[in-house]
Amino acid sequence: MSGLIGKKIGMTSIFDENGKNVPCTVIEAGPCIVTQVRTEEVDGYNALQLGFDDATEKSATKADIGHAKKAGTSVKRKVVEFKGFDEEYKLGDAITVEQFIEGEFVDVSGTSKGKGFQGVVKRHNFGGVGQATHGQHNRLRAPGSIGAASYPARVFKGMKMAGRMGGETVKVQNLRVYKVVPEKNLLVVKGCVPGHKNSYVIIEK
């Protein structure tokens, strides 16, 4: 799937053609520089490696600096491979937000906000004492019973319990593109996108 690397700017709302107020996410998408071209002969598959967001040479390794120089560009903070581009691109070419069309649907993936260590009510939507989850009766947010008796004498793997929540890769599919603003490299999509403001996201067609 062809696509671009972007940065989540934030959320807003716009009115559609029917006068309905639609919540939208604004993404700064590209321009992305082609930092490597994967080919069937050399790598065994066809793909493009794209880089986004300039980094300082001071914070980069010598390997990263040499890799960027081959493409005739600066070191990039985020580098991702994409398959399925229709056009032929060469090292150093820039791919902009203009490859997206208003009205089409895209998939956006990013890292969700980290929530830290959370209990079962927040993490797994347990009902708490009002709905008497797992046999408890007087503790509002406790997990309740987690096992049987002397058989099987263990807790089964995958049991829903308290633990670290968020900070995972999440993909939201079929978000409609409402606006493309080429002069500012902005993409406005319907709905919400995982991650905090200024986090990197991957947009796939």
Side-chain angles (χ1 to χ4, degrees):
M1 295 167 75
S2 62
L4 274 184
I5 311 166
K7 188 187 279 188
K8 178 176 173 179
I9 302 297
M11 289 196 74
T12 184
S13 60
I14 59 176
F15 290 95
D16 65 5
E17 59 275 5
N18 301 318
K20 189 177 178 186
N21 194 7
V22 181
C24 294
T25 304
V26 181
I27 302 169
E28 181 190 337
C32 294
I33 308 298
V34 178
T35 53
Q36 192 170 1
V37 180
R38 303 280 193 187
T39 59
E40 192 77 48
E41 302 80 55
V42 179
D43 305 288
Y45 65 99
N46 292 312
L48 288 181
Q49 187 190 83
L50 303 184
F52 173 70
D53 206 7
D54 292 340
T56 58
E57 287 199 3
K58 179 183 167 187
S59 63
T61 63
K62 283 187 177 178
D64 289 337
I65 294 167
H67 187 68
K69 274 184 180 168
K70 270 188 185 177
T73 183
S74 58
V75 182
K76 302 298 178 186
R77 287 184 188 276
K78 185 76 173 172
V79 177
V80 180
E81 273 190 14
F82 293 92
K83 293 181 180 179
F85 277 97
D86 298 328
E87 298 176 42
E88 290 287 323
Y89 290 99
K90 302 189 297 295
L91 267 180
D93 285 355
I95 303 176
T96 64
V97 73
E98 292 178 68
Q99 69 160 316
F100 296 106
I101 306 158
E102 291 181 11
E104 72 176 346
F105 292 86
V106 294
D107 299 345
V108 181
S109 53
T111 304
S112 63
K113 287 181 180 179
K115 305 288 185 185
F117 193 100
Q118 295 298 332
V120 288
V121 172
K122 181 169 180 136
R123 193 174 186 224
H124 295 297
N125 300 312
F126 278 24
V129 78
Q131 293 167 40
T133 308
H134 286 219
Q136 61 181 316
H137 64 97
N138 62 351
R139 295 162 300 152
L140 289 178
R141 302 172 73 91
S145 171
I146 60 166
S150 57
Y151 179 82
R154 64 191 177 91
V155 177
F156 289 118
K157 280 188 176 178
M159 176 66 62
K160 289 180 178 178
M161 299 172 79
R164 187 78 67 87
M165 181 182 175
E168 299 173 328
T169 300
V170 179
K171 179 182 276 191
V172 182
Q173 296 181 305
N174 297 323
L175 297 178
R176 185 178 165 195
V177 176
Y178 262 88
K179 256 185 190 174
V180 179
V181 188
E183 56 272 15
K184 292 187 177 178
N185 300 310
L186 294 180
L187 189 71
V188 182
V189 297
K190 181 180 178 180
C192 54
V193 162
H196 56 79
K197 288 179 185 176
N198 293 321
S199 62
Y200 294 115
V201 293
I202 295 164
I203 311 139
E204 295 174 316
K205 291 178 83 166

